[in-house]
Amino acid sequence: AQSVSQHNHHVILSEAASLELGCNYSYGGTVNLFWYVQYPGQHLQLLLKYFSGDPLVKGIKGFEAEFIKSKFSFNLRKPSVQWSDTAEYFCAVNDINAGNMLTFGGGTRLMVKP
Amino acid sequence: DVKVTQSSRYLVKRTGEKVFLECVQDMDHENMFWYRQDPGLGLRLIYFSYDVKMKEKGDIPEGYSVSREKKERFSLILESASTNQTSMYLCASSSRGRHAYEQYFGPGTRLTVT
């Protein structure tokens, strides 16, 4: 079965610092990859997705993620974080052999200090 | 905008009670999902449904059942609540086709079993 690892459980940054959150998955076949974000008190929402093509994908609010197939990774990046980026971030993987199901990582809580 | 609503934001139940969590989506989505969210564990799939009256077990179905009598509504049932079922429960929905992997989430129900 697919598993997803997010190695950073809690990250604290100052505003304007650069962000990189790690995500690794276990299955080496064809996958679709996602990052979801949950702002305090809000619904989980899609930040960005990768299905195929350019391995560097851009999402909302200046976030981007890079798919590196050889490393089974899909790390999330942002060059300069803002206080409003304080949230919990979840990486999710769809193994195409598993139909429409997503496997989620454990999440990373990001706190941005103003 | 897709809207997924859940019947309660907060629920407190006693051990042994039967608990119903309701989820309704308004976008005519075929797929619906129930997850539980626990700190450090991310989201774990309990059950999903790809059509009315159809259901599939997820990763942690034990102690839960589901019902989907109408396309827009998906219910999660705890037959006899236990303290280890204290958690945040999230409902999600998605369409079929190329957007099938993009799931839209409700606000969650925080269930406490005492």
Side-chain angles (χ1 to χ4, degrees), chain A residues 32 34 36 38 41 43-44 46 49 51 88 90 94 96 99-102 104-107, chain B residues 4 9 31 33 35 37 40-43 45 48 90 98-103 105-107:
Chain A
N32 299 306
F34 304 82
Y36 281 83
Q38 189 170 33
H43 300 198
L44 204 64
L46 184 65
K49 62 192 177 192
F51 288 169
E88 190 160 16
F90 294 93
N94 164 252
I96 64 163
N100 297 328
M101 291 192 287
L102 295 179
F104 284 82
Chain B
V4 179
R9 291 300 300 271
N31 304 316
F33 307 83
Y35 294 90
Q37 181 182 6
L41 297 178
L43 279 71
L45 182 65
F48 75 98
L90 297 180
R98 67 184 301 269
H99 297 290
Y101 313 114
E102 295 182 40
Q103 295 184 15
F105 285 84

Side-chain angles (χ1 to χ4, degrees), chain A:
Chain A
Q2 182 70 259
S3 66
V4 180
S5 297
Q6 293 181 241
H7 304 293
N8 312 104
H9 297 289
H10 292 90
V11 173
I12 302 173
L13 296 173
S14 298
E15 275 194 316
S18 64
L19 170 72
E20 181 160 4
L21 301 182
C23 172
N24 288 91
Y25 60 94
S26 60
Y27 176 64
T30 303
V31 293
N32 299 306
L33 300 158
F34 304 82
W35 276 96
Y36 281 83
V37 60
Q38 189 170 33
Y39 297 104
Q42 295 189 26
H43 300 198
L44 204 64
Q45 57 186 284
L46 184 65
L47 194 57
L48 50 76
K49 62 192 177 192
Y50 172 80
F51 288 169
S52 63
D54 188 344
L56 185 63
V57 293
K58 296 192 184 296
I60 59 172
K61 304 187 181 186
F63 285 90
E64 65 180 30
E66 185 175 13
F67 171 48
I68 303 179
K69 190 172 182 178
S70 61
K71 295 185 177 180
F72 301 153
S73 71
F74 189 55
N75 291 354
L76 181 71
R77 299 196 292 248
K78 186 171 184 179
S80 176
V81 294
Q82 300 173 310
W83 175 78
S84 57
D85 294 324
T86 293
E88 190 160 16
Y89 294 81
F90 294 93
C91 181
V93 177
N94 164 252
D95 171 354
I96 64 163
N97 293 320
N100 297 328
M101 291 192 287
L102 295 179
T103 301
F104 284 82
T108 298
R109 284 190 183 273
L110 171 66
M111 178 183 292
V112 180
K113 298 183 294 183

